[in-house]
Amino acid sequence: MLSFFREYKFFAIFMFFLSAIIVTIMYNVLSPDKVLPVYQPTMVNFEMVDSTLQYQSKYHKIADFSLVNQNGDTITQKDYENKIYVADFFFTTCQTICPIMTDHMAQIQKATLADEEIMLLSYSVTPEIDDVDQLKRYAIEKGVIDKKWNLVTGDKKQIYELARKSYLAVKTDGNGDEYDMIHTENFMLIDKKRQIRGYYDGTEPDDIEKLLDDIKILKNEG
């Protein structure tokens, strides 16, 4: 019996490794690639969604916009055409969560710097304070690379409607002004079709790692 096993041990080892390879290949073939959800207003915390959209369950996309960046250039959806991008809402004088969020945006900028398919977009929720000069100072201080990351300001009503009706990202229970916004820590991942594909806590390092992983998944969609 021992001589039998000695005679066929190399064959047995070969068959073991062959079986392992076949199982691995079958698993990869049969396991579907991970796909990110396409977020609709009905899937998001109702506090972040304008009342006119809270029952919308399909076809949601980011609206057109026209705002001004840290260099005084007009930025529109055309600048993000065929791009995957990460968006957030902030203001330059914020001393609580904004510095952490901006540092994490800078981390994403560094991680994706060589990938021209990926961009960043930060909207000011206090455009009356964050004019072009203020955004430029902030951009220099935070290491913003102009070709990669736009900090934008402009008409508050437009920014408010983008936040509430497009990105589904801010609350309104602030000081009572008509277009008052309380921004949150949310980062939004937007695909090439202007669809929201992910929400992330911009203050949490683990969420930033997940966002970077999800960007890779989104790129694999083609």
Side-chain angles (χ1 to χ4, degrees):
M1 181 67 71
L2 290 176
S3 63
F4 174 84
F5 282 113
R6 279 197 297 270
E7 185 177 347
Y8 288 98
K9 70 176 181 180
F10 292 111
F11 177 74
I13 293 171
F14 170 76
M15 291 302 296
F16 172 79
F17 282 109
L18 180 61
S19 298
I21 292 170
I22 291 172
V23 169
T24 301
I25 292 173
M26 291 298 293
Y27 176 80
N28 289 332
V29 169
L30 296 176
S31 298
D33 292 335
K34 183 176 179 182
V35 177
L36 301 179
V38 177
Y39 281 87
Q40 305 296 334
T42 54
M43 301 165 63
V44 179
N45 181 344
F46 74 94
E47 290 184 313
M48 309 292 181
V49 183
D50 188 84
S51 60
T52 61
L53 299 174
Q54 287 178 355
Y55 299 101
Q56 182 178 325
S57 61
K58 55 185 178 181
Y59 307 130
H60 185 73
K61 292 188 177 184
I62 305 303
D64 289 336
F65 63 87
S66 180
L67 296 163
V68 179
N69 75 355
Q70 66 268 21
N71 298 310
D73 299 327
T74 298
I75 301 298
T76 70
Q77 278 286 5
K78 204 73 176 170
D79 295 282
Y80 288 82
E81 191 173 26
N82 295 318
K83 304 291 185 182
I84 294 168
Y85 69 95
V86 181
D88 75 335
F89 290 82
F90 82 113
F91 58 104
T92 62
T93 56
C94 167
Q95 299 300 315
T96 53
I97 62 175
C98 290
I100 302 171
M101 293 170 65
T102 302
D103 286 347
H104 282 157
M105 273 290 203
Q107 180 182 330
I108 297 167
Q109 174 182 248
K110 182 178 179 181
T112 62
L113 189 56
D115 191 339
E116 295 182 357
E117 194 176 354
I118 311 301
M119 291 184 68
L120 310 178
L121 179 59
S122 294
Y123 295 87
S124 171
V125 299
T126 59
E128 66 278 8
I129 297 171
D130 292 334
D131 58 15
V132 171
D133 290 340
Q134 175 70 2
L135 288 183
K136 188 62 177 179
R137 286 190 291 269
Y138 191 81
I140 293 170
E141 177 187 343
K142 299 300 182 179
V144 171
I145 297 173
D146 293 339
K147 67 178 181 179
K148 192 76 174 178
W149 184 1
N150 289 296
L151 314 179
V152 293
T153 187
D155 177 61
K156 188 171 184 178
K157 179 175 184 284
Q158 182 182 174
I159 295 171
Y160 173 92
E161 290 189 346
L162 283 164
R164 293 286 293 171
K165 296 183 179 182
S166 282
Y167 294 99
L168 318 177
V170 304
K171 299 180 180 180
T172 59
D173 51 346
N175 62 20
D177 289 350
E178 185 178 6
Y179 301 114
D180 183 45
M181 292 172 278
I182 295 182
H183 79 104
T184 65
E185 68 279 0
N186 284 330
F187 283 3
M188 287 69 64
L189 178 59
I190 311 302
D191 68 16
K192 295 179 181 180
K193 298 178 181 178
R194 303 190 190 184
Q195 300 173 129
I196 303 170
R197 304 303 296 273
Y199 284 93
Y200 312 85
D201 186 332
T203 67
E204 289 292 333
D206 288 348
D207 269 31
I208 303 307
E209 292 301 321
K210 183 178 187 307
L211 191 161
L212 290 171
D213 288 341
D214 285 354
I215 286 175
K216 296 174 185 176
I217 293 171
L218 203 50
K219 282 176 65 69
N220 286 336
E221 287 188 8

